[in-house]
Amino acid sequence: MAGLGNGKETKMKRYREIVGDGGSAVLAQVQEQRARVESRLARVRHVVAVASGKGGVGKSVVVANLAASLTQQGRRVGVLDGDLNGPAIARMLGVGHQTLRVERDHAAPAIGPLGIKVVSMALLLPRDDTPVIWEAPTQDDAYVWRGTMEASAAREFLADVEWGELDYLFIDLPPGAERLPHLAGLLAGRVRGAVVTIPSQVSRMIVAKAVVLARTAGIDMFGEVENMAGYVCPRCGAVGDLFPGDDAEAAATSLGLPSLGTIPFDPRIALCADRGDPFIAVYPDTAAAEAFAAVASRLDALLEACG
Amino acid sequence: MKFLCVRCDEPMAFEKAEGPEEGSLAVTFACARCGARFALLTNPWETQLVRTLGVRIGGRRVPPEPMELVRGTLVQQRDPEPAPADVRAAAPVWTAEASQRLERVPEFVRPMARQAIERYATEQGYREITVRVVDEARARYMP
């Protein structure tokens, strides 16, 4: 007995001496959430998180076209848009008009071109210009809980979407690196990571932080894609430099990653993304489409070798 | 978070949770030995933080609905895909009194509550959702 005021006070129990939490079983609820994620992804062979460090490097376009390339190579592919506040994948893969279908015990992904499965916050928002606002007793000091809410929303997408059999589930992360530790916690040992950069020192400097953070969190980072690596002349097809910089292999080596390849800049990539058509399907004979296919093949070979 | 009855040096047990009302949860705990009770009253930020974790104070009695947190919290959403005609035809009808009762449920959990009550009514074979059916469903899911 701890007692108060009886002259025989002893040290009261401490947190770790008390079993349970009085009935809420919060830890068990959190473990159950994680078990749901694990169970839902049991039929997905490779979960690949794609990060960029800085925004504007074309990560989502790369993800969309890698998904399309792998699908063309016979792989079953899904894409989860991890950028809740700036969802772009649904538009790029032509499913922006679809609505996330929620059934009794799961949510069903939208089916895009070539059979790519897509889930994005965009499938829930009423208009393209609708921002993500979470209902709350007060929006004051939203920074206190907004990050937690976004992490929980990402967890719910992973736990509740029924992807079925997939060879690849790409998670298109928002710019920055803060989502990586959360993913590692949810998908311990299941998720591998790749990064997208452009031939710019600033881009590489920032993406290096994402690589270090991901490794610290225990994510196996397996490759780097360099986007906008040269410009394809629309008249003659020659590829010229767009940014000065080291070659991609050297850049990847400096990150301690294998280079998965380079993608030249082609303005038609952006046009196709705006229309919701996979560039590699519309312009299959271009240098950029061939580059996407080569990156997809390298990624596939690397991950198949990992098992 | 755990609560200790200082007098008895015994952990206190969850008794009930009410709210949120005006952004505050009222969670009551009791000491099994001496019967002492106290209420934890959360401020709006604490309430929101608990909510964003997707856990229930007092524990979960039924599994979460798919996308429960996102759909229950996102302010502006698309209308859900219309149900197939055959499913819609079989859906139970709400009486005015039952609908008014549902209006008393906090707005952010109302869609989930509606879905849970409709599911209960369908499972029980009710074609109409009355106040009695709402009470039955409430007793089932929130005893």
Side-chain angles (χ1 to χ4, degrees), chain A residues 188-237:
Chain A
R190 284 292 331 261
V191 62
R192 291 191 171 94
V195 291
V196 177
T197 62
I198 58 174
S200 129
Q201 294 293 324
V202 170
S203 173
R204 288 170 183 164
M205 176 184 75
I206 302 300
V207 87
K209 296 180 189 298
V211 171
V212 171
L213 185 63
R215 285 185 173 138
T216 304
I219 296 177
D220 173 21
M221 301 300 286
F222 71 92
E224 181 249 13
V225 179
E226 189 163 273
N227 194 28
M228 305 186 203
Y231 176 73
V232 180
C233 173
R235 292 199 179 88
C236 68

Side-chain angles (χ1 to χ4, degrees), chain B residues 52-120:
Chain B
T52 56
L53 288 170
V55 297
R56 292 278 169 85
I57 298 295
R60 273 192 181 276
R61 289 169 183 78
V62 291
E65 299 282 332
M67 305 303 298
E68 176 181 286
L69 185 66
V70 169
R71 290 197 303 156
T73 316
L74 193 60
V75 170
Q76 289 180 281
Q77 298 183 39
R78 283 185 196 184
D79 292 332
E81 281 204 338
D86 54 342
V87 173
R88 189 180 294 174
V93 176
W94 286 74
T95 65
E97 292 78 13
S99 292
Q100 283 171 3
R101 176 71 72 88
L102 186 69
E103 291 297 311
R104 285 158 50 181
V105 175
E107 194 176 344
F108 70 89
V109 292
R110 205 175 296 150
M112 281 183 290
R114 173 184 289 278
Q115 205 171 28
I117 294 165
E118 288 180 348
R119 191 174 67 226
Y120 171 80

Side-chain angles (χ1 to χ4, degrees), chain A residues 2 13 15 18 20 22-24 29 33 96 98 101 104-106 122 124-125 133 135 137 140 145 152 156 160, chain B residues 2 6 9 14 45 48 51-56 58-59 66-70 73 75 77-78 81 108 119:
Chain A
K13 285 192 178 74
Y15 183 88
I18 299 174
S24 293
Q29 290 186 56
Q33 290 173 350
Q98 295 188 34
R101 209 175 71 244
R104 181 178 289 259
D105 63 353
H106 69 275
L124 289 162
L125 297 170
I133 300 173
E135 185 163 321
D140 293 346
W145 50 264
S152 292
E156 200 165 73
D160 290 345
Chain B
K2 301 175 182 182
V6 175
D9 199 28
F14 169 82
W45 300 280
Q48 185 63 13
R51 187 175 165 201
T52 56
L53 288 170
V55 297
R56 292 278 169 85
M67 305 303 298
E68 176 181 286
L69 185 66
V70 169
T73 316
V75 170
Q77 298 183 39
R78 283 185 196 184
E81 281 204 338
F108 70 89
R119 191 174 67 226

Side-chain angles (χ1 to χ4, degrees), chain A residues 1-7 9, chain B residues 6-7:
Chain A
M1 176 169 175
L4 284 176
N6 60 5
E9 292 174 11
Chain B
V6 175
R7 180 183 298 276

